[in-house]
Amino acid sequence: MSSYRRFLLDMHIPDWDQAFLSAYDPREMAARWSAAGIGSVMLYCLSHVGLAYWPTKVGTVHGALAGHDFVGESLAACQGEGLEAYAYYSAIFNNQAWHEHPDWRIVPSAPPAIGSFMGKRYGHVCPNNAGYRGFAIAQIDELLEHYEFDGFFFDMTFWPAICLCPSCRDRFRSESSLEIPETVDWSASSWCAFQAAREHWMTEFALLLTNRVKAQRPGIPVYHNAAVLLHNWSRGIDFDHTDASDFLGGDFYGGGLEQQMISRFMTGLSRSRPVEFMTSRTMHLKDHVQSKSFSRIEMQAFAAMSFGAAIRFIDAIDPSGTVNTGVYRELAGIYQSLIPLEPYLGGEPVEDIAVYVSDRSRMNFSENGRSIHESGLRSGSMPHMTAALGAVRALQRAHLPFGVITRKALARLGTYKVVILPDVLRMDEVEIEAIRKYVTSGGRLYASRRSSLTLSDGMRPGTFGLADIFGCDTASDAPGDVTNLAGTIAYIQPKDCDLIRAVLPQTMLSHDLGTDDGPGMVPLHMETQGAVLGTLNLPYGWPEAGTVEDQDWASIHSSPPWNDTCRPVIVEHVINTASGGSGGCTGCGRAIYSAADIESVDHWAHERFFLSLLGRLLDGSPTYGTDAPPFVWMNVLHQPMDQRYAISFLNHPSDDPVVPIHGITFWLSLPPACIPRVLTAVATKEVLAFSVSGAGAVEARLERLDTFQLLILDYSTEP
Ligand SMILES: [Zn+2]
């Protein structure tokens, strides 16, 4: 795709009323898109309703076509307007197929029997059903035979439920000689094998669809919606699913923190760039009328640009086939403002720190023992993702250069100064060995809570897989029992001057252990190989909360610190390396292990404590930084082919209005061979003054930041 300005008109419209889509005019729509400054659109071939918008011989045609061909006419109209046009195809979510072929239906393990994902209007068919697979393939073949799309997008290639249909049961039995387990148990190999099978099946289905497109049109990009990649395990897709996508893109409906996380995550995982951030112009997909404010829509567009990502806004067609034209006038203002930026977008993100996100850890040990017939598993909490999001929040607010990586990036761990393992609940031997090699080669590691305690197949050796790196080990007597500290609240007493200063005027951190799903702490052995930076303090009467009768408490409202146990909570371990450093680190590898998931807690003291620990690992200045307020996003992308850096600032307060910020200073360290030449503001073409510090960093000042500023720093290299 060439344009960063993308658009999708949702058309999930049935045909049981003749008025539906009666006013739809493909030419008028294409002209409207073009006038709005859009460069790339997606055309509905098959919606969740399952009625074809082209005169198919394979399935059922939408009644509104009446001799027309919406796909063909739209494609011709878009080509006439110079718009890039992708095909949209809804897989698995297909109401028409659900009606016509009851034997194709997904059989959800838990109620409701209908609409297990998104509600009772939606019919799901199973990708393991040979009949449905053949149908989908035949439709794709037909589409590619007749239409010259510029690319292909598949929506909904994930499991809306745990499917117990005969095809799924037979397949699991034949592949594993096991029956589908009745109970969730992340310590049982059979359950872990079933979940792995579901993920493998969905990747295989996604690849089947992608390869079908590639067989006819090897040159066009194909991608699957990446929206649920960070959802919990029940969707049944892992990161191998991205093998079916040339680049990553997906639709998201959360706030700024989600856009931060997902943009960095997709950038780190995608095979090619730009990645694509999709979102509705309305508050949510379920809302047809209520629009986001202009400034929020604009902010989401600029946020995408700041990551070098494309933006695709989604609007939903009125049932009659018209749209709210006023919305397009508003969108035009935003799309037009992106045009001057486009030549300067893209590049390699400058990242010192990597937040590690694990697909195997999008689950919760508190689910163990729950029946698969129980509803609610679909929306289970994910402590690992809470911790990862917390790390992202803290790093962004501190303007530290960071990225989000996955197991597919293990080979390039050495390019990071620090790697963060945020309560990684399940790891495999390959991951553990890669982390070990990274640290013993001079890398710096922060790991928290249950990281490396449980293997992906459910095995719990009763010790950290990375105990030799952490310099400490779990003291849990029962192998894998990490919940025996679960009581009301525990305290972390800092033992290091920097950490003590970080939380002042507090003298310690409180860590709430009151729930299965919330923050927690792993009990550690008293003996450690590393230096103890923080110890455990427990309240009076702990772990009981006390009552009016037993008087086993010290203060009636709260449970203040009482007993300094000297038990380690934070351990710093220096590992002498045989060959010196790598990955920007010199000398020794170093790990800080925190038994508590400090980064999970959204509180200033936890944040400063966490950042102080990272500061110990970073050793010196990060590659870039700014004194801008925490809600400003600073991003830097390196474009070595053009010998320049794209430096962006986004004013991203949590509430409207966006108030201008004056006098932001920032710095960026260039590699020694690069000589900075000119710093230019793209929007105004203004040349900004800069100086070079003794340490070789470019230092400059942005006099005023309204919503977004993109600066270009050109450099030359020594001959
Ligand atoms: Zn099935």
Side-chain angles (χ1 to χ4, degrees):
M1 276 196 188
S2 52
S3 178
Y4 286 75
R5 293 161 285 123
R6 305 178 187 176
F7 183 79
L8 168 63
L9 181 65
D10 261 0
M11 289 176 57
H12 298 289
I13 307 293
D15 68 352
W16 47 70
D17 189 317
Q18 286 191 350
F20 290 165
L21 296 182
S22 57
Y24 179 58
D25 182 342
R27 277 166 219 82
E28 189 186 329
M29 208 63 82
R32 179 171 296 114
W33 296 333
S34 181
I38 291 160
S40 178
V41 297
M42 207 179 262
L43 303 176
Y44 264 63
C45 299
L46 197 78
S47 78
H48 301 343
V49 175
L51 297 170
Y53 285 126
W54 78 101
T56 182
K57 294 185 173 62
V58 182
T60 307
V61 177
H62 196 289
L65 259 63
H68 284 273
D69 173 1
F70 284 176
V71 172
E73 291 167 29
S74 293
L75 190 59
C78 287
Q79 286 165 344
E81 296 284 350
L83 292 166
E84 202 171 40
Y86 270 47
Y88 172 99
Y89 188 90
S90 173
I92 298 172
F93 282 57
N94 186 324
N95 283 17
Q96 190 65 24
W98 186 92
H99 279 290
E100 290 178 3
H101 303 277
D103 57 316
W104 292 2
R105 294 177 186 176
I106 276 181
V107 178
S109 68
I114 296 173
S116 51
F117 198 95
M118 292 177 71
K120 291 183 177 176
R121 290 181 186 172
Y122 301 83
H124 309 129
V125 289
C126 182
N128 272 342
N129 181 286
Y132 173 61
R133 284 164 92 103
F135 165 84
I137 285 167
Q139 283 207 322
I140 292 159
D141 284 351
E142 192 185 62
L143 279 168
L144 292 164
E145 225 167 84
H146 291 95
Y147 308 108
E148 293 274 351
F149 297 111
D150 295 304
F152 217 103
F153 174 77
F154 289 103
D155 205 2
M156 315 314 265
T157 42
F158 63 90
W159 291 102
I162 295 172
C163 183
L164 301 180
C165 80
S167 303
C168 286
R169 284 192 183 280
D170 290 348
R171 187 167 183 187
F172 189 57
R173 193 180 298 119
S174 74
E175 289 178 358
S176 68
S177 304
L178 294 168
E179 294 298 322
I180 291 175
E182 292 285 313
T183 307
V184 179
D185 185 352
W186 297 108
S187 61
S189 60
S190 56
W191 173 257
C192 294
F194 175 56
Q195 174 62 12
R198 296 175 71 229
E199 292 167 353
H200 169 72
W201 295 340
M202 194 52 71
T203 293
E204 182 206 76
F205 180 62
L207 281 168
L208 175 78
L209 300 183
T210 294
N211 292 337
R212 206 70 192 186
V213 177
K214 297 279 186 186
Q216 288 204 49
R217 298 280 157 72
I220 69 169
V222 181
Y223 68 126
H224 293 253
N225 197 335
V228 304
L229 278 173
L230 295 182
H231 283 206
N232 91 342
W233 60 272
S234 68
R235 312 294 185 269
I237 66 172
D238 66 5
F239 296 162
D240 288 341
H241 190 278
T242 62
D243 293 346
S245 294
D246 288 303
F247 63 90
L248 296 190
D251 55 332
F252 303 93
Y253 304 95
L257 179 59
E258 181 190 72
Q259 191 168 3
Q260 270 280 342
M261 166 60 100
I262 207 71
S263 301
R264 294 183 191 274
F265 164 75
M266 291 197 298
T267 299
L269 186 54
S270 185
R271 284 218 304 275
S272 70
R273 297 176 191 148
V275 300
E276 179 182 292
F277 186 84
M278 308 165 78
T279 189
S280 54
R281 64 98 184 160
T282 51
M283 299 303 288
H284 195 274
L285 277 186
K286 290 180 181 292
D287 204 328
H288 189 78
V289 171
Q290 293 288 102
S291 252
K292 292 170 182 164
S293 71
F294 178 86
S295 73
R296 286 294 135 179
I297 299 176
E298 183 185 47
M299 198 178 287
Q300 289 186 304
F302 283 136
M305 301 303 113
S306 79
F307 294 109
I311 184 78
R312 186 185 295 280
F313 285 113
I314 304 169
D315 186 33
I317 200 165
D318 298 330
S320 64
T322 58
V323 293
N324 179 339
T325 52
V327 163
Y328 288 76
R329 281 194 293 275
E330 198 160 81
L331 286 175
I334 293 167
Y335 281 121
Q336 301 288 356
S337 68
L338 305 182
I339 293 174
L341 306 178
E342 278 196 352
Y344 301 96
L345 298 175
E348 211 39 53
V350 174
E351 299 169 345
D352 292 342
I353 301 171
V355 178
Y356 191 79
V357 168
S358 155
D359 45 357
R360 311 283 186 239
S361 302
R362 297 164 306 157
M363 34 62 72
N364 196 336
F365 290 118
S366 70
E367 293 158 342
N368 283 1
R370 291 179 67 177
S371 164
I372 61 165
H373 307 295
E374 207 183 298
S375 58
L377 287 173
R378 195 170 70 75
S379 52
S381 64
M382 297 177 285
H384 164 59
M385 288 309 304
T386 303
L389 270 171
V392 166
R393 179 179 54 231
L395 292 166
Q396 187 279 310
R397 285 170 49 79
H399 306 299
L400 285 165
F402 76 100
V404 175
I405 63 165
T406 67
R407 62 187 162 86
K408 291 195 174 267
L410 289 174
R412 57 182 171 89
L413 287 181
T415 62
Y416 291 95
K417 294 178 181 172
V418 178
V419 172
I420 294 172
L421 298 183
D423 196 15
V424 183
L425 298 184
R426 297 200 303 153
M427 296 177 76
D428 63 28
E429 295 289 1
V430 173
E431 290 172 298
I432 288 171
E433 194 45 45
I435 295 287
R436 175 177 290 113
K437 186 175 166 210
Y438 166 71
V439 180
T440 55
S441 303
R444 306 293 167 93
L445 178 73
Y446 169 89
S448 70
R449 203 176 166 188
R450 293 163 288 192
S451 300
S452 82
L453 207 49
T454 307
L455 296 174
S456 302
D457 63 4
M459 277 277 291
R460 281 183 171 180
T463 177
F464 292 120
L466 289 165
D468 56 324
I469 299 299
F470 295 170
C472 58
D473 208 350
T474 175
S476 177
D477 294 322
D481 178 10
V482 293
T483 58
N484 62 355
L485 278 179
T488 52
I489 200 158
Y491 296 91
I492 302 163
Q493 171 76 65
K495 296 292 181 188
D496 167 86
C497 291
D498 289 338
L499 294 173
I500 290 168
R501 269 195 293 272
V503 301
L504 284 174
Q506 292 184 195
T507 56
M508 55 185 80
L509 287 183
S510 60
H511 211 59
D512 187 347
L513 311 177
T515 64
D516 277 342
D517 291 342
M521 199 183 288
V522 174
L524 295 186
H525 273 301
M526 291 299 282
E527 299 78 29
T528 65
Q529 300 297 309
V532 177
L533 300 180
T535 56
L536 179 69
N537 188 307
L538 296 171
Y540 193 95
W542 198 92
E544 302 305 325
T547 68
V548 64
E549 289 172 315
D550 65 26
Q551 301 188 34
D552 204 8
W553 45 274
S555 179
I556 199 163
H557 292 316
S558 62
S559 299
W562 181 257
N563 174 22
D564 188 353
T565 67
C566 298
R567 188 181 279 274
V569 176
I570 318 271
V571 176
E572 184 178 42
H573 188 216
V574 176
I575 294 117
N576 290 313
T577 57
S579 56
S582 73
C585 308
T586 53
C588 309
R590 200 188 307 163
I592 292 179
Y593 169 77
S594 172
D597 45 357
I598 296 165
E599 65 279 11
S600 296
V601 180
D602 187 7
H603 184 268
W604 68 264
H606 277 71
E607 182 177 298
R608 289 181 60 179
F609 196 92
F610 174 60
L611 291 171
S612 183
L613 292 174
L614 289 186
R616 298 174 76 89
L617 295 170
L618 260 178
D619 264 356
S621 257
T623 304
Y624 67 78
T626 175
D627 65 355
F631 57 82
V632 170
W633 297 6
M634 178 181 176
N635 270 320
V636 180
L637 290 135
H638 187 200
Q639 300 166 0
M641 297 295 284
D642 296 309
Q643 297 205 327
R644 66 192 187 194
Y645 285 87
I647 307 166
S648 66
F649 294 87
L650 176 67
N651 190 351
H652 197 292
S654 53
D655 292 309
D656 288 345
V658 177
V659 178
I661 301 169
H662 297 272
I664 292 173
T665 59
F666 63 94
W667 78 87
L668 169 64
S669 294
L670 270 54
C674 299
I675 302 157
R677 295 296 180 198
V678 189
L679 181 64
T680 316
V682 170
T684 60
K685 307 291 178 210
E686 183 193 354
V687 174
L688 276 68
F690 66 84
S691 59
V692 180
S693 73
V698 169
E699 294 176 347
R701 180 179 161 92
L702 189 61
E703 290 304 333
R704 177 183 167 115
L705 174 64
D706 289 297
T707 300
F708 186 68
Q709 272 277 12
L710 179 64
L711 309 177
I712 294 297
L713 177 65
D714 288 293
Y715 65 82
S716 59
T717 50
E718 285 169 346

